[in-house]
Amino acid sequence: MSDSRLGAEVKIDFSRIKRDIAELSKIGRRSEVDPGLYRMAFTDADMEGKRWLLNRIEEADLLPVSDGAGNIFGKIIPEGPAAKKPSVLVGSHIDTVPCAGTLDGSLGVVIGLECLRAIRASGVPLARPLELVAFSDEEGRFGAMFGSEAFCGFISPSRLRERDLEGISLSEAMLSQGLDPSAALDAARPRGTVDSYLELHIEQGPVLDSAGEQVGIVENITGLFKWQVRLVGDANHAGTTPMEMRNDAFIGLADFAHEISRILEENGGEHSRATIGTAQILPGSANTVPGMVEFSLDVRDTSEAILEELKNAFRKALSAIARRRKLKFEFDELSSIKPIDADARLVENLEDCAKNLGLRYRRMPSGAAHDAQMLARIAPMGMIFTPSRGGRSHSPEEWTSWEDMEAGARLCLEVLLKRVQDPKDLI
Amino acid sequence: MSDSRLGAEVKIDFSRIKRDIAELSKIGRRSEVDPGLYRMAFTDADMEGKRWLLNRIEEADLLPVSDGAGNIFGKIIPEGPAAKKPSVLVGSHIDTVPCAGTLDGSLGVVIGLECLRAIRASGVPLARPLELVAFSDEEGRFGAMFGSEAFCGFISPSRLRERDLEGISLSEAMLSQGLDPSAALDAARPRGTVDSYLELHIEQGPVLDSAGEQVGIVENITGLFKWQVRLVGDANHAGTTPMEMRNDAFIGLADFAHEISRILEENGGEHSRATIGTAQILPGSANTVPGMVEFSLDVRDTSEAILEELKNAFRKALSAIARRRKLKFEFDELSSIKPIDADARLVENLEDCAKNLGLRYRRMPSGAAHDAQMLARIAPMGMIFTPSRGGRSHSPEEWTSWEDMEAGARLCLEVLLKRVQDPKDLI
């Protein structure tokens, strides 16, 4: 119905999306028995995925381009002065974490590809270029969002020296694939040439699935701070050291973990999250009172002001616990990323289209990081979420039902059609 | 004063104890820069320590013996029918944990050796044999207290298949040192042949040191149970999973750790201890809600009844937390050792002698395990503690002041003299 209103001839062929997902999910397998995908950035599997994508782009009669950061593009450049207008970009990434599922990133690329195929085939006139993009190393083999960071012009040569868990540097990995690392510094797209960026991605959380909704419209991407905290007490014999004479570093951590809910209730908002995901206990013997713990604290919110309040509250709690338990404490801030908003006009477009398509949707924040948050710093950004069954993510179990994928694809196409036919720039 | 009362001619030569400590502390060094000792059971260093001890035993004109478990003895066998009476044993162990200090075990052996040297040289008539002993593998390269366990007749052939952290079996380790493992099964001393066992050991805790006392007289050795507990929740994305939709296994552990003090207050006694010494968090990534934790729980008390109550209380707490946090839980009991009492007559002897010597002492429990608890199952047992400076133990920093060592040695000699001159058996 709404398809016909916006461009009767532009139709998604969902069977092609299914086929592309099936094909791409064969690239990066390690064995018959391991259901996980291993398409980490600049591995052979990742490069095979990129060649597969370039082949699909050529088949679809799109203009294939790869830039110095290994980002892959498939472009439709209209005739005449429209070719010089800022581009609409749609896409995501096809690299994966180790032992990944098949949809994280890939779904957005495959749906973006089908949208461009459909628009190309329809011959609908474009007011501006339209580009499919798959950004390099979103998942962070070398520090996350490398491709979009380079595309946005935010990298410096030191970025190329970042190392993966095995100690291989980004430069070395690129060279081993026949790529020139220094060319990544030339991948920056000139400012003002991107009209807008649209990314479809799986939610990676349980909200849409448990509410029975088909798509999420992202209002903002949470900011975060990540601390590495050390509490230092005294390692002593578990049998001979009376309870009241202990400086037990682990009990300090337990006290702190126990405070998290209070701190979020007092200082956080409905989108606040705080997680202790790692903890190392030293010396780590059953009959020794822990002398030191080192743990991670990952805190997220969509509001910069709330993040600042949470920082203060967590710092105070640590300090009070250290004093009470006679521990020393220190922490390093490993990262601090500001929250960023989606473009209000794109959010409205997405909502209008979702209503027109009769989709069950909700506006929501993104709790995970995405290339979209890099792009939002240089251009208007919009994001579509599809439901993650059971909230599963970074796991071979991650999935979105075919019906919800199709709903997401239709929404993506609608909004793209609006943007590429609109002669007025968003930027 | 009391020396003269009991046997004017029997005198400790403390300079020999100092020399022996210095010599023994050179065996098992790995490098100039590492202050730790590495004399783990049945390593080359441990065997070198045993040869050193046998040489000292021969020098002192004691009868050197080693049994099938690698236990080392230095005996004084009196003439006539006294030779057939049950023996008094004094000793400890000379094997160490990795990166150990110089006194754990060794101090008891070195002081016992000097007591026998002094008694031998004095020519004081003995009513029964007196034996110095150094038991094998007290520290547990292969499961702890192997030598005393064999001596007491508690081992079976399966014990010889226990493996160290590198996967080497006890049998293999003994064979590599030219020892016949099966001979360990013949190391059992016939029942009724041990009159009493006396062990001097560093406290390994802070109690004597912080109270400014010179010796501790052990009333009992705490029993313990050791659990390996698993809490299983769901690993999810730290950014996308709302707090109220998490089943965070680590928060379950934090809740549990937080309950320890309440559980001890409600169900424990003044000697109760509970320690979480290890915890592993899976998958162990800063941006993933922990899906599983596995941790150790080490609980000790001197009362079997209290230990049972603590078991019930900890089980209930785990079960309630698992229910509240929507986690699964399970645990394995890795070990369960009953508390055991020192012999009341020996405790009284020790106390009398300490008073006569004018020592600052206290009766106290042992929170750590010792060969003495194995021996207590076959013979009357007594233990002397010397203060551990700062409570340090299993560390190159462990130390007892020379003055306190000498106080312990004098007490040890007094009680030994009483026992070996007493024609009435304790057993």
Side-chain angles (χ1 to χ4, degrees):
Chain A
M1 175 196 76
S2 83
D3 282 6
S4 64
R5 198 177 49 80
L6 280 158
E9 64 286 61
V10 191
K11 283 266 183 216
I12 295 267
D13 180 349
F14 191 63
S15 68
R16 290 193 296 211
I17 292 176
K18 283 169 111 166
R19 187 202 59 202
D20 288 345
I21 290 171
E23 286 184 17
L24 193 48
S25 72
K26 283 183 196 128
I27 302 172
R29 296 243 166 257
R30 284 201 172 159
S31 81
E32 291 294 317
V33 291
D34 182 345
L37 281 179
Y38 296 80
R39 212 159 58 218
M40 290 77 77
F42 300 115
T43 57
D44 290 350
D46 183 41
M47 301 312 285
E48 189 186 339
K50 287 179 171 181
R51 283 191 302 274
W52 174 89
L53 180 60
L54 283 168
N55 289 338
R56 296 294 78 67
I57 287 168
E58 284 176 17
E59 268 175 20
D61 197 23
L62 310 173
L63 177 66
V65 174
S66 60
D67 70 11
N71 298 320
I72 303 295
F73 300 86
K75 306 186 180 185
I76 305 176
I77 313 283
E79 304 281 310
K84 303 283 185 201
K85 299 273 281 176
S87 294
V88 172
L89 267 81
V90 62
S92 189
H93 62 94
I94 61 164
D95 68 302
T96 73
V97 294
C99 197
T102 54
L103 299 182
D104 188 331
S106 298
L107 183 63
V109 172
V110 160
I111 285 179
L113 171 66
E114 176 57 21
C115 289
L116 265 72
R117 271 191 299 235
I119 289 169
R120 181 70 167 164
S122 73
V124 66
L126 304 192
R128 58 186 67 257
L130 175 59
E131 306 181 32
L132 171 71
V133 59
F135 289 115
S136 291
D137 195 19
E138 192 272 346
E139 293 290 7
R141 179 181 170 198
F142 302 100
M145 295 188 278
F146 163 68
S148 50
E149 200 177 357
F151 178 87
C152 294
F154 299 140
I155 66 164
S156 59
S158 67
R159 185 70 169 83
L160 301 167
R161 293 192 289 270
E162 289 205 25
R163 293 182 183 277
D164 70 4
L165 293 175
E166 265 118 50
I168 300 165
S169 74
L170 175 51
S171 276
E172 289 159 359
M174 290 182 76
L175 281 168
S176 76
Q177 297 296 353
L179 300 170
D180 169 15
S182 66
L185 299 164
D186 303 325
R189 182 70 63 102
R191 291 301 162 105
T193 62
V194 178
D195 166 81
S196 50
Y197 173 70
L198 185 66
E199 179 166 356
L200 179 144
H201 202 282
I202 55 168
E203 179 198 339
Q204 301 180 264
V207 175
L208 293 172
D209 184 51
S210 63
E213 284 155 345
Q214 295 173 286
V215 291
I217 296 168
V218 172
E219 291 186 298
N220 39 36
I221 300 180
T222 58
L224 65 87
F225 60 90
K226 214 174 270 190
W227 288 355
Q228 186 74 358
V229 187
R230 277 172 299 284
L231 289 170
V232 182
D234 289 300
N236 277 309
H237 194 294
T240 63
T241 315
M243 300 306 286
E244 69 279 6
M245 295 178 83
R246 299 180 172 197
N247 303 322
D248 185 330
F250 179 72
I251 293 294
L253 166 56
D255 283 359
F256 180 70
H258 216 77
E259 296 277 27
I260 288 178
S261 59
R262 177 191 63 77
I263 290 171
L264 293 186
E265 281 160 19
E266 287 181 6
N267 306 280
E270 63 166 322
H271 301 311
S272 301
R273 319 255 185 273
T275 306
I276 294 171
T278 70
Q280 221 203 336
I281 296 173
L282 294 172
S285 134
N287 60 2
T288 306
V289 177
M292 178 168 132
V293 290
E294 184 159 28
F295 62 95
S296 63
L297 177 68
D298 175 300
V299 179
R300 307 191 188 209
D301 199 86
T302 50
S303 150
E304 205 176 333
I306 287 180
L307 279 175
E308 273 311 306
E309 294 207 16
L310 288 172
K311 259 188 204 183
N312 284 334
F314 280 114
R315 195 186 293 113
K316 278 186 201 166
L318 272 174
S319 160
I321 288 162
R323 216 161 37 236
R324 185 195 326 144
R325 295 281 182 189
K326 284 172 264 151
L327 306 171
K328 282 174 283 183
F329 90 99
E330 49 179 12
F331 67 90
D332 299 317
E333 185 162 278
L334 301 187
S335 58
S336 178
I337 299 171
K338 290 184 179 174
I340 201 153
D341 289 333
D343 183 78
R345 296 158 300 179
L346 282 175
V347 170
E348 224 171 275
N349 280 358
L350 284 161
E351 189 161 16
D352 288 345
C353 291
K355 279 181 187 161
N356 288 338
L357 290 168
L359 303 181
R360 294 186 306 280
Y361 73 94
R362 77 160 59 192
R363 287 172 173 239
M364 64 188 297
S366 168
H370 296 288
D371 289 313
Q373 78 197 56
M374 205 57 84
L375 271 289
R377 292 166 67 184
I378 66 157
M381 170 276 282
M383 272 198 93
I384 300 167
F385 275 167
T386 61
S388 291
R389 191 178 284 174
R392 293 267 162 256
S393 156
H394 286 186
S395 152
E397 291 168 50
E398 82 185 2
W399 194 242
T400 293
S401 73
W402 295 123
E403 293 71 23
D404 291 341
M405 280 188 211
E406 190 164 4
R410 289 170 67 204
L411 179 58
C412 187
L413 178 68
E414 291 289 286
V415 172
L416 282 183
L417 279 170
K418 262 198 177 168
R419 283 302 328 129
V420 292
Q421 295 180 304
D422 184 354
K424 199 162 152 279
D425 299 339
L426 269 192
I427 199 161
Chain B
M1 178 195 76
S2 81
D3 282 5
S4 63
R5 198 177 49 79
L6 280 158
E9 65 285 62
V10 192
K11 282 267 183 216
I12 295 268
D13 180 348
F14 191 65
S15 68
R16 290 194 295 211
I17 293 176
K18 282 170 113 167
R19 186 203 60 200
D20 287 346
I21 290 171
E23 286 184 17
L24 192 48
S25 72
K26 284 182 195 129
I27 302 172
R29 296 243 167 259
R30 284 201 172 157
S31 81
E32 291 294 317
V33 292
D34 183 346
L37 282 179
Y38 297 80
R39 212 161 56 220
M40 291 77 79
F42 299 114
T43 57
D44 291 349
D46 183 39
M47 301 312 285
E48 189 185 337
K50 287 178 172 182
R51 282 193 301 275
W52 174 88
L53 180 59
L54 283 168
N55 289 338
R56 297 294 77 67
I57 286 168
E58 285 176 18
E59 269 176 18
D61 196 23
L62 310 173
L63 176 66
V65 175
S66 61
D67 71 10
N71 298 319
I72 304 294
F73 300 86
K75 305 186 182 185
I76 306 176
I77 313 283
E79 304 282 311
K84 302 283 184 201
K85 299 272 282 176
S87 295
V88 173
L89 266 81
V90 61
S92 190
H93 62 94
I94 61 165
D95 68 301
T96 73
V97 294
C99 196
T102 54
L103 299 181
D104 188 330
S106 299
L107 183 62
V109 172
V110 161
I111 284 179
L113 171 66
E114 177 56 20
C115 289
L116 265 73
R117 270 192 301 235
I119 289 169
R120 181 70 168 165
S122 72
V124 66
L126 305 193
R128 58 185 68 257
L130 175 59
E131 305 182 32
L132 170 71
V133 59
F135 289 115
S136 293
D137 195 19
E138 193 272 347
E139 293 290 8
R141 179 181 171 198
F142 301 101
M145 295 188 277
F146 164 66
S148 50
E149 200 177 359
F151 178 87
C152 294
F154 298 141
I155 65 163
S156 59
S158 67
R159 185 71 169 81
L160 301 167
R161 291 192 290 271
E162 289 205 25
R163 292 182 183 278
D164 70 3
L165 293 174
E166 264 118 50
I168 299 165
S169 75
L170 174 51
S171 276
E172 289 160 359
M174 291 182 77
L175 281 169
S176 77
Q177 297 296 352
L179 300 170
D180 170 14
S182 67
L185 299 164
D186 303 325
R189 182 69 62 102
R191 292 298 164 107
T193 61
V194 178
D195 167 80
S196 50
Y197 174 71
L198 186 66
E199 180 166 356
L200 179 145
H201 202 282
I202 56 169
E203 178 198 341
Q204 302 182 263
V207 175
L208 293 172
D209 183 51
S210 63
E213 284 154 345
Q214 294 173 285
V215 291
I217 296 168
V218 172
E219 291 187 298
N220 38 38
I221 300 181
T222 57
L224 65 86
F225 60 90
K226 214 173 269 191
W227 289 355
Q228 186 75 358
V229 187
R230 278 172 298 284
L231 290 170
V232 182
D234 289 299
N236 278 309
H237 194 294
T240 62
T241 315
M243 300 306 286
E244 70 279 7
M245 295 178 84
R246 298 179 174 199
N247 303 323
D248 184 330
F250 179 73
I251 292 295
L253 165 56
D255 283 0
F256 180 70
H258 215 77
E259 296 278 25
I260 288 178
S261 59
R262 177 191 62 77
I263 289 170
L264 293 186
E265 281 160 20
E266 287 181 5
N267 307 278
E270 62 165 323
H271 300 310
S272 301
R273 320 254 185 274
T275 306
I276 293 171
T278 70
Q280 220 203 336
I281 296 173
L282 294 172
S285 133
N287 61 2
T288 306
V289 177
M292 178 167 132
V293 291
E294 183 159 28
F295 62 96
S296 63
L297 178 69
D298 174 301
V299 180
R300 307 192 187 208
D301 199 86
T302 50
S303 151
E304 206 176 333
I306 287 180
L307 279 175
E308 273 310 307
E309 293 207 18
L310 289 172
K311 260 189 204 184
N312 285 335
F314 280 116
R315 195 187 292 113
K316 278 185 202 166
L318 273 174
S319 159
I321 288 163
R323 219 162 35 237
R324 185 194 328 142
R325 295 283 182 189
K326 283 172 266 152
L327 307 170
K328 282 175 283 184
F329 89 100
E330 50 179 12
F331 66 91
D332 299 318
E333 186 162 278
L334 301 187
S335 59
S336 179
I337 299 171
K338 290 184 180 172
I340 201 153
D341 289 333
D343 183 78
R345 295 159 299 179
L346 283 174
V347 171
E348 224 170 274
N349 281 357
L350 284 161
E351 189 161 16
D352 288 346
C353 292
K355 279 181 188 159
N356 287 338
L357 291 168
L359 303 181
R360 295 186 305 280
Y361 74 94
R362 77 159 60 191
R363 288 173 173 236
M364 64 188 297
S366 168
H370 295 290
D371 289 313
Q373 77 197 56
M374 205 58 82
L375 271 290
R377 293 166 67 184
I378 65 155
M381 171 277 281
M383 272 199 93
I384 300 167
F385 275 168
T386 61
S388 291
R389 192 177 284 173
R392 291 268 163 256
S393 153
H394 285 186
S395 152
E397 291 167 51
E398 81 186 3
W399 194 241
T400 293
S401 73
W402 295 122
E403 293 71 23
D404 291 342
M405 279 188 212
E406 191 164 2
R410 289 172 68 203
L411 179 58
C412 187
L413 178 67
E414 290 290 287
V415 173
L416 282 183
L417 279 170
K418 263 199 178 167
R419 282 304 324 130
V420 291
Q421 296 180 302
D422 184 354
K424 198 161 154 278
D425 299 339
L426 269 192
I427 199 162

